[in-house]
Amino acid sequence: MRLLFLGDIVGKTGRTAVWERLPGLVSDLKLDFVVVNGENAAGGFGITEDIFLGTISAGADVVTTGNHVWDQKEAVVFCERHDQFLRPANYPAGTPGRGSNLFFARNGARVLVANVMGRVFMHPELDDPFKCAEAILEACPLGEQADAVVFDFHAEATSEKQCFGHFVDGRASLVVGTHTHVPTADHQILNGGTGYISDAGMCGDYDSSLGMDKEEPLNRFISKMPKGRFEAASGPATICGVGVEVSDRTGLAEKIAPLRLGPRLSETIPEFWA
């Protein structure tokens, strides 16, 4: 089974690039399942229902989020209407929406996708992500109720991301770190067979500060005084993510490689899909 995960969409340029390129990727690479993090898709802050639906129409099977999930207030309402929209699962009980769900891939496989948020240097500080993941896996274990398991671990600290990967190693097909918007070079298959990367990067303008127009962040570092609001950068976007081949027999990763398409970073498509 071929899984593709795309990192945080940032602003209009990011979502436009994903919407334009994803249909062709699904077709050309014969993708069975696609997960996209969309939490910064609305001007860099949150996601609207129209943007969510546009991302699904482009070929995403699931849209995950993170700490910006509620930045657009309509998300509190529309999250209840769409099974394919996930917010962090470790929000307190009673929070609107869902943090994990079981989906069917194009090849008929059952794919469990869970969105979990870390706690180190993160706000708001949610419930224990490790206990949350344990409960999710106990309810829908790999090889029993699920043919593949994907975690979007939305976190700041690389150490927390790595420890989470080791915690679910052998029990998940893929753990993808999101939130920091910079693609890391540590894609690997862990000892137990789980594909892992500390951060998938973002789908946005890399001539920026994490997808934001660089002038205001630079000003704040230098002067310590705000001059205006952060605005999403509007230059051409680079799409970043990670592709994984998952064993139909075990549900564990067999191959993993980054995917990067756009003007700033070196373009690469997983060679096992070329």
Short mmCIF file of all heavy atoms in Angstrom, two decimals, residues 5-45:
data_model
loop_
_atom_site.label_atom_id
_atom_site.label_comp_id
_atom_site.label_asym_id
_atom_site.label_seq_id
_atom_site.Cartn_x
_atom_site.Cartn_y
_atom_site.Cartn_z
N PHE A 5 1.96 11.44 3.02
CA PHE A 5 1.61 12.43 4.03
C PHE A 5 2.21 13.76 3.62
O PHE A 5 3.43 13.84 3.36
CB PHE A 5 2.15 12.02 5.40
CG PHE A 5 1.67 12.88 6.54
CD1 PHE A 5 0.75 12.39 7.46
CD2 PHE A 5 2.13 14.18 6.70
CE1 PHE A 5 0.30 13.19 8.50
CE2 PHE A 5 1.69 14.99 7.74
CZ PHE A 5 0.77 14.49 8.65
N LEU A 6 1.40 14.82 3.55
CA LEU A 6 1.88 16.15 3.24
C LEU A 6 1.85 17.02 4.49
O LEU A 6 0.86 17.03 5.23
CB LEU A 6 1.03 16.81 2.14
CG LEU A 6 1.06 16.11 0.77
CD1 LEU A 6 0.23 16.91 -0.23
CD2 LEU A 6 2.49 15.94 0.26
N GLY A 7 2.95 17.76 4.71
CA GLY A 7 3.06 18.60 5.90
C GLY A 7 2.17 19.82 5.87
O GLY A 7 1.48 20.09 4.88
N ASP A 8 2.22 20.59 6.93
CA ASP A 8 1.31 21.71 7.18
C ASP A 8 1.15 22.63 5.96
O ASP A 8 2.13 23.23 5.50
CB ASP A 8 1.83 22.57 8.34
CG ASP A 8 2.18 21.76 9.57
OD1 ASP A 8 2.74 20.67 9.44
OD2 ASP A 8 1.92 22.25 10.69
N ILE A 9 -0.07 22.76 5.48
CA ILE A 9 -0.37 23.75 4.44
C ILE A 9 -0.37 25.13 5.09
O ILE A 9 -1.01 25.35 6.11
CB ILE A 9 -1.75 23.50 3.81
CG1 ILE A 9 -1.77 22.17 3.05
CG2 ILE A 9 -2.13 24.63 2.87
CD1 ILE A 9 -3.13 21.81 2.49
N VAL A 10 0.38 26.08 4.49
CA VAL A 10 0.44 27.44 5.03
C VAL A 10 -0.07 28.43 3.98
O VAL A 10 0.55 28.62 2.93
CB VAL A 10 1.86 27.82 5.45
CG1 VAL A 10 1.87 29.23 6.06
CG2 VAL A 10 2.42 26.83 6.46
N GLY A 11 -1.21 29.03 4.26
CA GLY A 11 -1.74 30.11 3.45
C GLY A 11 -2.24 29.71 2.07
O GLY A 11 -2.26 28.54 1.69
N LYS A 12 -2.63 30.73 1.31
CA LYS A 12 -3.22 30.52 -0.01
C LYS A 12 -2.25 29.87 -0.98
O LYS A 12 -2.62 28.96 -1.73
CB LYS A 12 -3.71 31.85 -0.58
CG LYS A 12 -4.40 31.71 -1.93
CD LYS A 12 -4.94 33.06 -2.42
CE LYS A 12 -5.64 32.89 -3.76
NZ LYS A 12 -6.18 34.19 -4.24
N THR A 13 -0.99 30.31 -0.95
CA THR A 13 -0.04 29.74 -1.90
C THR A 13 0.20 28.26 -1.63
O THR A 13 0.36 27.46 -2.55
CB THR A 13 1.29 30.52 -1.88
OG1 THR A 13 2.13 30.05 -2.92
CG2 THR A 13 2.01 30.38 -0.54
N GLY A 14 0.18 27.87 -0.35
CA GLY A 14 0.36 26.46 0.00
C GLY A 14 -0.81 25.60 -0.42
O GLY A 14 -0.64 24.54 -1.02
N ARG A 15 -2.01 26.09 -0.12
CA ARG A 15 -3.18 25.27 -0.46
C ARG A 15 -3.38 25.21 -1.97
O ARG A 15 -3.81 24.17 -2.52
CB ARG A 15 -4.42 25.76 0.25
CG ARG A 15 -4.95 27.13 -0.13
CD ARG A 15 -6.20 27.47 0.67
NE ARG A 15 -6.82 28.70 0.25
CZ ARG A 15 -6.70 29.87 0.89
NH1 ARG A 15 -5.96 29.94 1.99
NH2 ARG A 15 -7.31 30.95 0.44
N THR A 16 -3.07 26.30 -2.68
CA THR A 16 -3.20 26.29 -4.14
C THR A 16 -2.25 25.27 -4.75
O THR A 16 -2.63 24.52 -5.65
CB THR A 16 -2.91 27.68 -4.71
OG1 THR A 16 -3.87 28.61 -4.19
CG2 THR A 16 -3.00 27.67 -6.23
N ALA A 17 -1.02 25.21 -4.25
CA ALA A 17 -0.05 24.25 -4.76
C ALA A 17 -0.51 22.82 -4.51
O ALA A 17 -0.41 21.95 -5.39
CB ALA A 17 1.31 24.49 -4.12
N VAL A 18 -1.03 22.57 -3.31
CA VAL A 18 -1.52 21.21 -3.00
C VAL A 18 -2.71 20.86 -3.87
O VAL A 18 -2.77 19.76 -4.44
CB VAL A 18 -1.87 21.11 -1.50
CG1 VAL A 18 -2.60 19.79 -1.21
CG2 VAL A 18 -0.61 21.22 -0.65
N TRP A 19 -3.66 21.77 -4.01
CA TRP A 19 -4.84 21.49 -4.81
C TRP A 19 -4.48 21.25 -6.28
O TRP A 19 -5.11 20.43 -6.95
CB TRP A 19 -5.84 22.64 -4.71
CG TRP A 19 -6.46 22.79 -3.34
CD1 TRP A 19 -6.30 21.97 -2.26
CD2 TRP A 19 -7.33 23.85 -2.91
NE1 TRP A 19 -7.01 22.45 -1.18
CE2 TRP A 19 -7.65 23.59 -1.55
CE3 TRP A 19 -7.85 24.98 -3.53
CZ2 TRP A 19 -8.48 24.43 -0.81
CZ3 TRP A 19 -8.68 25.82 -2.80
CH2 TRP A 19 -8.99 25.55 -1.45
N GLU A 20 -3.47 21.96 -6.77
CA GLU A 20 -3.09 21.80 -8.18
C GLU A 20 -2.28 20.53 -8.42
O GLU A 20 -2.44 19.88 -9.46
CB GLU A 20 -2.27 23.01 -8.63
CG GLU A 20 -3.10 24.28 -8.77
CD GLU A 20 -2.25 25.48 -9.19
OE1 GLU A 20 -0.99 25.36 -9.18
OE2 GLU A 20 -2.83 26.54 -9.50
N ARG A 21 -1.42 20.16 -7.46
CA ARG A 21 -0.51 19.04 -7.70
C ARG A 21 -1.01 17.70 -7.20
O ARG A 21 -0.63 16.66 -7.73
CB ARG A 21 0.85 19.33 -7.05
CG ARG A 21 1.59 20.55 -7.59
CD ARG A 21 2.00 20.40 -9.04
NE ARG A 21 2.93 19.33 -9.29
CZ ARG A 21 4.26 19.47 -9.28
NH1 ARG A 21 4.80 20.65 -9.00
NH2 ARG A 21 5.04 18.44 -9.55
N LEU A 22 -1.84 17.71 -6.15
CA LEU A 22 -2.21 16.44 -5.53
C LEU A 22 -2.99 15.51 -6.45
O LEU A 22 -2.72 14.29 -6.46
CB LEU A 22 -3.00 16.70 -4.24
CG LEU A 22 -3.33 15.45 -3.40
CD1 LEU A 22 -2.09 14.63 -3.10
CD2 LEU A 22 -4.04 15.86 -2.12
N PRO A 23 -3.95 15.97 -7.25
CA PRO A 23 -4.66 15.02 -8.14
C PRO A 23 -3.70 14.26 -9.06
O PRO A 23 -3.86 13.04 -9.26
CB PRO A 23 -5.60 15.93 -8.93
CG PRO A 23 -5.85 17.10 -8.04
CD PRO A 23 -4.53 17.34 -7.36
N GLY A 24 -2.72 14.95 -9.60
CA GLY A 24 -1.76 14.29 -10.46
C GLY A 24 -0.88 13.31 -9.69
O GLY A 24 -0.53 12.23 -10.21
N LEU A 25 -0.51 13.66 -8.45
CA LEU A 25 0.29 12.74 -7.64
C LEU A 25 -0.48 11.46 -7.33
O LEU A 25 0.08 10.36 -7.39
CB LEU A 25 0.71 13.44 -6.34
CG LEU A 25 1.73 14.57 -6.46
CD1 LEU A 25 1.90 15.27 -5.12
CD2 LEU A 25 3.06 14.04 -6.96
N VAL A 26 -1.74 11.61 -6.97
CA VAL A 26 -2.56 10.44 -6.68
C VAL A 26 -2.62 9.51 -7.88
O VAL A 26 -2.47 8.29 -7.76
CB VAL A 26 -3.98 10.85 -6.25
CG1 VAL A 26 -4.89 9.63 -6.14
CG2 VAL A 26 -3.94 11.60 -4.92
N SER A 27 -2.79 10.10 -9.06
CA SER A 27 -2.90 9.30 -10.28
C SER A 27 -1.55 8.74 -10.72
O SER A 27 -1.41 7.53 -10.93
CB SER A 27 -3.49 10.17 -11.40
OG SER A 27 -3.50 9.47 -12.62
N ASP A 28 -0.54 9.61 -10.83
CA ASP A 28 0.75 9.18 -11.37
C ASP A 28 1.49 8.22 -10.46
O ASP A 28 2.18 7.30 -10.93
CB ASP A 28 1.63 10.41 -11.64
CG ASP A 28 1.06 11.32 -12.71
OD1 ASP A 28 0.16 10.87 -13.46
OD2 ASP A 28 1.50 12.49 -12.79
N LEU A 29 1.39 8.43 -9.14
CA LEU A 29 2.10 7.60 -8.19
C LEU A 29 1.26 6.44 -7.67
O LEU A 29 1.72 5.66 -6.84
CB LEU A 29 2.61 8.44 -7.02
CG LEU A 29 3.51 9.62 -7.39
CD1 LEU A 29 3.94 10.39 -6.14
CD2 LEU A 29 4.73 9.15 -8.17
N LYS A 30 0.02 6.37 -8.15
CA LYS A 30 -0.89 5.28 -7.75
C LYS A 30 -0.99 5.21 -6.22
O LYS A 30 -0.84 4.14 -5.61
CB LYS A 30 -0.44 3.95 -8.35
CG LYS A 30 -0.46 3.95 -9.88
CD LYS A 30 0.02 2.62 -10.43
CE LYS A 30 -0.15 2.55 -11.95
NZ LYS A 30 0.59 3.63 -12.66
N LEU A 31 -1.31 6.34 -5.63
CA LEU A 31 -1.41 6.42 -4.19
C LEU A 31 -2.70 5.76 -3.70
O LEU A 31 -3.77 5.97 -4.26
CB LEU A 31 -1.38 7.88 -3.73
CG LEU A 31 -0.12 8.67 -4.09
CD1 LEU A 31 -0.27 10.12 -3.66
CD2 LEU A 31 1.11 8.05 -3.46
N ASP A 32 -2.57 5.02 -2.61
CA ASP A 32 -3.74 4.37 -2.02
C ASP A 32 -4.38 5.23 -0.94
O ASP A 32 -5.59 5.11 -0.68
CB ASP A 32 -3.34 3.02 -1.41
CG ASP A 32 -2.86 2.04 -2.45
OD1 ASP A 32 -3.62 1.75 -3.40
OD2 ASP A 32 -1.71 1.56 -2.33
N PHE A 33 -3.58 6.12 -0.32
CA PHE A 33 -4.12 6.89 0.81
C PHE A 33 -3.27 8.13 1.01
O PHE A 33 -2.03 8.07 0.93
CB PHE A 33 -4.12 6.05 2.09
CG PHE A 33 -5.05 6.54 3.16
CD1 PHE A 33 -6.41 6.25 3.10
CD2 PHE A 33 -4.57 7.27 4.23
CE1 PHE A 33 -7.27 6.69 4.09
CE2 PHE A 33 -5.43 7.72 5.22
CZ PHE A 33 -6.78 7.43 5.15
N VAL A 34 -3.94 9.26 1.28
CA VAL A 34 -3.25 10.54 1.45
C VAL A 34 -3.74 11.24 2.71
O VAL A 34 -4.96 11.39 2.91
CB VAL A 34 -3.47 11.47 0.23
CG1 VAL A 34 -2.78 12.81 0.46
CG2 VAL A 34 -2.97 10.81 -1.06
N VAL A 35 -2.80 11.69 3.54
CA VAL A 35 -3.10 12.49 4.72
C VAL A 35 -2.44 13.85 4.53
O VAL A 35 -1.27 13.93 4.13
CB VAL A 35 -2.58 11.84 6.02
CG1 VAL A 35 -2.94 12.70 7.24
CG2 VAL A 35 -3.14 10.43 6.17
N VAL A 36 -3.17 14.93 4.82
CA VAL A 36 -2.64 16.29 4.70
C VAL A 36 -2.90 17.04 5.99
O VAL A 36 -4.03 17.03 6.50
CB VAL A 36 -3.29 17.05 3.52
CG1 VAL A 36 -2.76 18.48 3.45
CG2 VAL A 36 -3.05 16.32 2.20
N ASN A 37 -1.87 17.70 6.53
CA ASN A 37 -2.09 18.57 7.68
C ASN A 37 -2.50 19.94 7.16
O ASN A 37 -1.76 20.57 6.40
CB ASN A 37 -0.83 18.68 8.55
CG ASN A 37 -1.09 19.48 9.82
OD1 ASN A 37 -1.37 20.66 9.77
ND2 ASN A 37 -1.00 18.82 10.97
N GLY A 38 -3.67 20.43 7.58
CA GLY A 38 -4.21 21.67 7.04
C GLY A 38 -4.38 22.78 8.06
O GLY A 38 -5.11 23.75 7.80
N GLU A 39 -3.69 22.71 9.20
CA GLU A 39 -4.03 23.62 10.30
C GLU A 39 -3.63 25.08 10.06
O GLU A 39 -4.08 25.96 10.78
CB GLU A 39 -3.43 23.11 11.60
CG GLU A 39 -1.94 23.30 11.72
CD GLU A 39 -1.53 23.65 13.15
OE1 GLU A 39 -2.38 23.61 14.05
OE2 GLU A 39 -0.35 23.99 13.34
N ASN A 40 -2.78 25.36 9.08
CA ASN A 40 -2.39 26.75 8.79
C ASN A 40 -2.87 27.21 7.43
O ASN A 40 -2.35 28.18 6.87
CB ASN A 40 -0.86 26.90 8.85
CG ASN A 40 -0.28 26.51 10.19
OD1 ASN A 40 0.47 25.54 10.29
ND2 ASN A 40 -0.62 27.25 11.24
N ALA A 41 -3.87 26.53 6.88
CA ALA A 41 -4.26 26.75 5.49
C ALA A 41 -5.02 28.05 5.27
O ALA A 41 -5.05 28.58 4.16
CB ALA A 41 -5.09 25.57 4.99
N ALA A 42 -5.64 28.60 6.30
CA ALA A 42 -6.43 29.83 6.17
C ALA A 42 -5.58 31.02 6.60
O ALA A 42 -5.58 31.42 7.77
CB ALA A 42 -7.71 29.76 7.00
N GLY A 43 -4.83 31.59 5.66
CA GLY A 43 -4.01 32.74 5.97
C GLY A 43 -2.92 32.47 6.99
O GLY A 43 -2.40 33.38 7.62
N GLY A 44 -2.58 31.21 7.19
CA GLY A 44 -1.57 30.83 8.16
C GLY A 44 -2.11 30.49 9.53
O GLY A 44 -1.36 30.04 10.40
N PHE A 45 -3.42 30.67 9.72
CA PHE A 45 -4.00 30.46 11.05
C PHE A 45 -5.30 29.69 10.94
O PHE A 45 -6.36 30.25 10.62
CB PHE A 45 -4.24 31.81 11.74
CG PHE A 45 -2.97 32.60 11.94
CD1 PHE A 45 -2.60 33.57 11.02
CD2 PHE A 45 -2.16 32.37 13.03
CE1 PHE A 45 -1.43 34.30 11.19
CE2 PHE A 45 -0.99 33.09 13.21
CZ PHE A 45 -0.61 34.05 12.28
#
